[in-house]
Amino acid sequence: MTKIQLAVIGVGRWGVHLLRNFLAHPQVSVVAVVDPHKERLTKIKQQFDLDENVLLTTEWEYVKQIAGLTAVAIATPATTHYALIKDALQQGYHVLAEKPLTLDPEECRELCQLAESQQLILMVDHTYLFHPAVEKGQTVVQAGQLGDLRYGYATRTHLGPVRQDVDALWDLAIHDIAIFNNWLGKLPIKVQATGTVWLQENREVGENSMSKLPEHQGLADLVWVTLTYPDNFQAYVHLCWLNPDKQRRLGIVGSKGSLIFDEMSASSPLTLIHGEFAKEGNSFIPVNQRQEVVEIEKAEPLGKVCDRFVYSVIQNTPSLISSGWVGRELVVILSALTTSLNQKGKSINISNG
């Protein structure tokens, strides 16, 4: 069996889950873990009973001295992604990067082109695109089961954590945008965003911030997003980290029914709600109303991400679902939304060239 030698860079809240999955993968040998916090390295050594042969280090430079290293999984703050990913690709390593790929569309383009020139895999961990409910939802939508598509909506709210380097837009929106793009098979051509700041007004945003906000604007706790797709399909997204009503809900409405992905419903996260109108004289009468729980496979989305990355590396076949180029498309959209937010909701046209 072919095994790839892999290093995990960053074992914070998300990186530790990447490490768990790769340690359990039969085609992976984890040879190094890097994190600037020594206490994290001590903790994961105990938690996973790591072999003495696994290098635990606070310095990325030491990892580059490991002979036979094949790939790296990067789960560090987004502000560090560009330099780390570029260096890893230049060293000849395949890369799985936590989202967002970087904070700048042109940096994303450069990394994608570098990976292609080196014939290396660059994949972004957009975990929701590997969620069984999202995969099945794409099939339902693109099979035309909803009829003519009319509009979409999503709500992503919770009480914290409140970020100090990024507003609610960059923290939360990427998930729902990725799902809408995936289900529709299209990219938005125009976006709008408005926001409200309560907690961190007049906060000066440093150069390491994800959000390129005007000085003293503060970090938006509440953001409303409008995405306009070709054929004038629109999706509306509500984002807030200051709402104790935790919701993770997304839907698309068509002429024959609605498809709902409700992540908070463990037993039935994907539901197809049938219903349409029949016209009688001047009246519109609801007909064909019924609700159907869509069956999905049982699988951990992040486990599927890791499986796909390993397959891509071994077969040298990029993941079309979550390639570096897909990551760039999402950064382009977020950057346009930031421009709209800074200009108080001005409509921004998007070019994905």
Side-chain angles (χ1 to χ4, degrees):
M1 179 185 291
T2 303
K3 274 202 171 191
I4 65 173
Q5 295 197 61
L6 178 137
V8 176
I9 318 299
V11 282
R13 184 183 64 84
W14 194 246
V16 72
H17 294 297
L18 282 167
L19 176 62
R20 170 176 56 81
N21 274 282
F22 281 125
L23 284 170
H25 201 288
Q27 291 176 284
V28 173
S29 176
V30 176
V31 295
V33 180
V34 185
D35 195 283
H37 304 282
K38 290 183 178 180
E39 64 274 14
R40 286 182 183 169
L41 296 173
T42 301
K43 182 178 179 180
I44 60 105
K45 180 177 176 59
Q46 296 172 345
Q47 180 178 350
F48 297 108
D49 191 24
L50 295 180
D51 188 276
E52 293 296 330
N53 293 325
V54 177
L55 173 66
L56 303 179
T57 177
T58 59
E59 299 295 331
W60 158 241
E61 293 300 318
Y62 292 141
V63 175
K64 295 190 288 184
Q65 300 171 17
I66 299 175
L69 184 64
T70 308
V72 296
I74 296 174
T76 59
T79 51
T80 67
H81 282 189
Y82 171 71
L84 265 176
I85 295 169
K86 183 176 181 179
D87 194 13
L89 291 172
Q90 288 175 334
Q91 296 295 323
Y93 307 141
H94 302 282
V95 176
L96 172 64
E98 190 181 6
K99 58 79 188 167
L101 177 54
T102 77
L103 308 178
D104 179 85
E106 288 311 305
E107 290 180 349
C108 292
R109 182 198 298 275
E110 179 188 340
L111 294 177
C112 291
Q113 292 174 339
L114 176 59
E116 288 182 350
S117 69
Q118 298 278 75
Q119 295 184 308
L120 294 169
I121 298 300
L122 173 58
M123 180 173 161
V124 186
D125 175 17
H126 293 296
T127 310
Y128 276 95
L129 298 182
F130 294 83
H131 194 296
V134 173
E135 292 177 327
K136 186 67 174 182
Q138 182 194 48
T139 301
V140 171
V141 173
Q142 297 193 0
Q145 294 188 47
L146 301 181
D148 297 328
L149 301 184
R150 290 182 166 155
Y151 75 99
Y153 58 93
T155 300
R156 189 168 294 269
T157 61
H158 52 82
L159 194 61
V162 176
R163 300 280 293 269
Q164 296 183 2
D165 61 339
V166 52
D167 57 16
L169 172 67
W170 277 87
D171 186 32
L172 303 174
I174 196 167
H175 305 301
D176 299 305
I177 298 171
I179 295 170
F180 279 125
N181 291 356
N182 179 266
W183 281 10
L184 297 169
K186 299 176 182 178
L187 301 174
I189 56 175
K190 185 171 61 177
V191 299
Q192 290 176 278
T194 57
T196 303
V197 180
W198 289 294
L199 297 180
Q200 299 178 90
E201 291 185 82
N202 302 319
R203 178 177 176 80
E204 293 188 41
V205 178
E207 62 181 16
N208 289 330
S209 169
M210 292 189 207
S211 293
K212 299 176 176 62
L213 298 172
E215 189 176 6
H216 306 305
Q217 178 167 309
L219 299 176
D221 304 294
L222 168 68
V223 180
W224 300 93
V225 165
T226 302
L227 309 167
T228 302
Y229 290 83
D231 303 325
N232 210 37
F233 178 94
Q234 290 190 312
Y236 307 93
V237 185
H238 167 205
L239 309 159
C240 186
W241 57 31
L242 203 145
N243 185 341
D245 177 20
K246 185 174 182 178
Q247 293 189 54
R248 297 282 187 276
R249 200 167 191 269
L250 179 147
I252 286 185
V253 180
S255 59
K256 294 183 178 180
S258 299
L259 182 66
I260 309 298
F261 171 38
D262 186 352
E263 191 182 352
M264 304 306 294
S265 175
S267 60
S268 54
L270 192 65
T271 305
L272 182 55
I273 305 175
H274 299 272
E276 54 191 304
F277 281 118
K279 191 171 183 182
E280 294 184 7
N282 292 326
S283 299
F284 296 91
I285 310 299
V287 297
N288 301 329
Q289 291 181 280
R290 61 186 177 88
Q291 189 164 306
E292 173 188 348
V293 174
V294 181
E295 294 296 324
I296 61 173
E297 68 168 318
K298 302 293 183 183
E300 181 188 3
L302 185 58
K304 290 168 67 76
V305 170
C306 295
D307 281 342
R308 188 63 181 85
F309 179 64
V310 171
Y311 175 85
S312 292
V313 169
I314 292 174
Q315 300 295 326
N316 200 24
T317 304
S319 167
L320 298 180
I321 298 171
S322 196
S323 66
W325 290 110
V326 171
R328 179 185 180 273
E329 290 168 353
L330 289 162
V331 171
V332 167
I333 295 165
L334 285 170
S335 297
L337 283 165
T338 295
T339 300
S340 176
L341 187 65
N342 294 343
Q343 297 183 21
K344 302 186 183 303
K346 179 182 177 181
S347 181
I348 305 296
N349 294 322
I350 293 182
S351 170
N352 282 284

